[in-house]
Amino acid sequence: MIVYGKQVVLYILDKHPSLIKEVIFSKKIDDRIFSKFLRLGLKIQKVDNQKAQALANGGNHQGFFLDIDMPEQSSLTELKRFGFLLVLDGLTDMGNIGAIVRSAYSLGVEGIVISGIQNLKMENIVRSSSGALLDIPFVTLNNSLDVANELSQVGFTLIGADMDGVDIKGFEKPNSNIALFLGSEGSGLSNKIVKKLDRKVSIKMANKFDSLNVSVAAGILIHELRG
């Protein structure tokens, strides 16, 4: 799995060097940084700009690439032991998912379920989360309804982001484990999940505007529910 970009590459070098299989550069690297890669004892490859652009699919690679092992997933059984879970239901934008993962890890979410998503591109999520996906337990599952049922059966309060929900500022947090459900960028949570929710929450807007980006909304809701 190829990831690129200076920030995420250096993060993986510092926090998860055992995942690295190969180091790839497309420009001269600072000697101090280069020496850290040398200490890995791995193959270091230099590629031209054309090859670099192909590896990054035209993205902003900054000359830094790693070939790493796929991140190891947890299981839903393992995640049930935690007190605060985030469930993503049908999101499609890998950049949004990565940004949510980054906020979730920073704000204390203990595990993430990524469900109902076709063509999940793990390398994009690792990159857009700045490596946070490698540090938070997560699992990818097909059926979000099964996830909701299983979490409900073990005592989780299912809370969903919905335009008709109560303002998060006035929301009384339950004295139980919490699973926060976030829906797709366009249509929100699926109807089958909405019917399973115990509570619905929303973010009151100061000005008349339709909605927030799902990754921004996720950060606000997580902060309020974890506070």
Side-chain angles (χ1 to χ4, degrees):
M1 182 174 78
I2 300 294
V3 294
Y4 60 85
K6 183 176 180 180
Q7 183 178 4
V8 67
V9 164
L10 294 182
Y11 184 86
I12 294 171
L13 172 65
D14 182 44
K15 300 292 186 180
H16 300 281
S18 62
L19 293 178
I20 301 173
K21 297 191 292 185
E22 184 178 1
V23 181
I24 304 168
F25 295 125
S26 66
K27 67 178 185 180
K28 181 174 173 55
I29 303 300
D30 178 87
D31 289 342
R32 181 179 58 84
I33 295 175
F34 189 74
S35 65
K36 293 181 179 180
F37 287 102
L38 282 177
R39 287 197 288 270
L40 294 174
L42 298 172
K43 178 182 178 182
I44 298 178
Q45 182 183 173
K46 178 73 183 296
V47 298
D48 60 27
N49 188 60
Q50 183 177 1
K51 175 65 173 178
Q53 286 296 100
L55 287 173
N57 294 312
N60 183 20
H61 54 79
Q62 300 170 293
F64 287 75
F65 300 84
L66 292 177
D67 184 2
I68 65 171
D69 290 322
M70 289 286 287
E72 184 176 351
Q73 295 194 32
S74 298
S75 67
L76 186 57
T77 298
E78 292 172 316
L79 266 57
K80 287 177 185 176
R81 299 198 297 263
F82 298 132
F84 193 111
L85 299 180
L86 181 64
V87 182
L88 306 183
D89 174 34
L91 276 74
T92 57
D93 187 284
M94 300 301 112
N96 276 339
I97 295 172
I100 291 170
V101 170
R102 184 176 181 178
S103 294
Y105 180 62
S106 299
L107 295 172
V109 170
E110 295 165 278
I112 297 177
V113 180
I114 303 173
S115 62
I117 301 172
Q118 301 294 325
N119 301 318
L120 191 68
K121 297 178 181 178
M122 203 66 70
E123 63 273 18
N124 290 4
I125 302 175
V126 171
R127 179 174 55 81
S128 57
S129 71
S130 297
L133 186 69
L134 305 175
D135 289 300
I136 189 168
F138 78 97
V139 62
T140 59
L141 298 169
N142 291 327
N143 195 319
S144 55
L145 184 58
D146 288 345
V147 173
N149 286 332
E150 288 198 45
L151 293 178
S152 183
Q153 287 170 7
V154 295
F156 276 82
T157 296
L158 310 185
I159 300 173
D162 189 272
M163 294 292 288
D164 296 327
V166 300
D167 182 12
I168 189 64
K169 285 292 185 181
F171 181 73
E172 186 175 343
K173 290 181 291 185
N175 294 318
S176 65
N177 294 338
I178 290 174
L180 173 61
F181 283 72
L182 297 175
S184 68
E185 296 87 353
S187 56
L189 290 169
S190 57
N191 289 332
K192 62 184 180 180
I193 292 298
V194 171
K195 292 177 181 178
K196 285 289 181 180
L197 296 175
D198 299 301
R199 305 288 296 276
K200 294 187 291 184
V201 294
S202 63
I203 300 169
K204 184 178 180 181
M205 302 294 167
N207 297 299
K208 292 182 179 180
F209 199 71
D210 288 342
S211 64
L212 297 169
N213 175 277
V214 65
S215 64
V216 175
I220 295 171
L221 294 173
I222 294 167
H223 181 267
E224 293 294 331
L225 291 171
R226 290 289 290 171

